[in-house]
Amino acid sequence: MINDSDVLVNYKASEIKRLAKDAGITIEIENKKVVIPNDKEQIKVILGFLDEEAYKGPFFQNTFLANSKRKINK
C-alpha cells in the first residue's frame, strides 16, 4: 500500500522526516533514504506513518496508530 501511494516517490526523505517529527515519530535518514530500524514495534510505527495510519490527537497531542482508516467525505 505504501508503494501504491507513491509516498516514497513523491516526498524526499527529509520531508518525510519533518512530517514524522510533526506527528511525534522519529525517523532516521541515511544516504537520503528512510532507515527502517530492526525493532519490530518501531517498524510498525514507521510503516503505519508512511501508510497514513499514524495521527496526532487534537486535544492532548498524543500520537496514535490506527488499525483502520476511513476518509471523511466533506
Side-chain angles (χ1 to χ4, degrees):
M1 293 196 312
I2 294 167
N3 281 336
D4 291 342
S5 72
D6 285 334
V7 72
L8 298 173
V9 173
N10 294 328
Y11 294 90
K12 295 178 183 178
S14 59
E15 293 173 304
I16 292 171
K17 182 175 182 169
R18 180 184 51 79
L19 292 168
K21 183 179 179 185
D22 292 345
I25 298 168
T26 301
I27 289 183
E28 298 298 322
I29 299 205
E30 213 173 89
N31 298 322
K32 298 182 180 182
K33 294 183 181 180
V34 173
V35 175
I36 303 297
N38 292 326
D39 180 55
K40 194 182 274 189
E41 187 64 31
Q42 285 298 327
I43 291 171
K44 186 176 179 179
V45 169
I46 290 172
L47 293 178
F49 171 76
L50 292 172
D51 193 32
E52 295 192 303
E53 293 174 349
Y55 65 97
K56 195 165 255 211
F59 300 106
F60 299 104
Q61 301 299 303
N62 293 317
T63 301
F64 296 98
L65 194 59
N67 60 2
S68 67
K69 58 186 174 185
R70 227 178 344 176
K71 187 175 179 180
I72 298 174
N73 294 324
K74 295 180 183 181

